Amino acid sequence: MLANMAARRDLASYVDNVTQCAICRSDFSEPRQLPCLHTFCLDCITQHVSRTELEGNSPACPVCRKQFSIPVAGVKQLPHNFFVAGLVEAKKTASQPAAGQPCEVCLALSEGDAASVSQATNYCVDCREKMCEKCSVRCRRAKVQHQVVALGKEF
């Protein structure tokens, strides 16, 4: 039991590190990726680049200091990091309270008839679905086990 709690703490710490901007220390907002593969909020990297230009220097990654070129159309054209954006969304969804949320698997199987749908108690990070206990069993027993967390609990 203690090992499971420690593993959850480690997972929570890892998810926080991956989903937080190194500049503002908040969850990413419109995450953009630099050529060095470090990711920052669009607003944060825009402000960083504007300060660098005022100092007369070429922009460098705030983490590794590797210089990069700004796309012709501006910082907004830096690649959007969809993977990180998905993690931020999964983190937000998993931390929402479970009350009143239907199981998305049961809801799909019932063809939208919410009256016969169980209440969601879990969230599968891999499937990105809120599930009842019964439906989450398939994710926990898959050949490649999915990451299933209790809905309403932080990572």
Side-chain angles (χ1 to χ4, degrees), residues 41-128:
C41 298
L42 176 60
D43 288 343
C44 294
I45 197 65
T46 300
Q47 290 175 10
H48 172 74
V49 166
S50 67
R51 281 192 304 269
T52 304
E53 288 175 344
L54 287 175
E55 296 168 2
N57 299 324
S58 297
C61 172
V63 173
C64 69
R65 310 311 277 158
K66 184 175 181 181
Q67 292 184 328
F68 64 94
S69 298
I70 301 169
V72 176
V75 177
K76 284 188 175 191
Q77 293 302 311
L78 287 169
H80 187 85
N81 192 327
F82 293 104
F83 176 75
V84 168
L87 283 176
V88 170
E89 185 61 32
K91 179 180 170 185
K92 287 178 186 175
T93 301
S95 65
Q96 292 174 351
Q101 296 186 24
C103 171
E104 294 175 337
V105 177
C106 290
L107 190 60
L109 292 173
S110 70
E111 297 177 358
D113 180 19
S116 62
V117 173
S118 300
Q119 195 166 10
T121 55
N122 297 304
Y123 180 77
C124 179
V125 176
D126 299 290
C127 297
R128 295 183 180 178

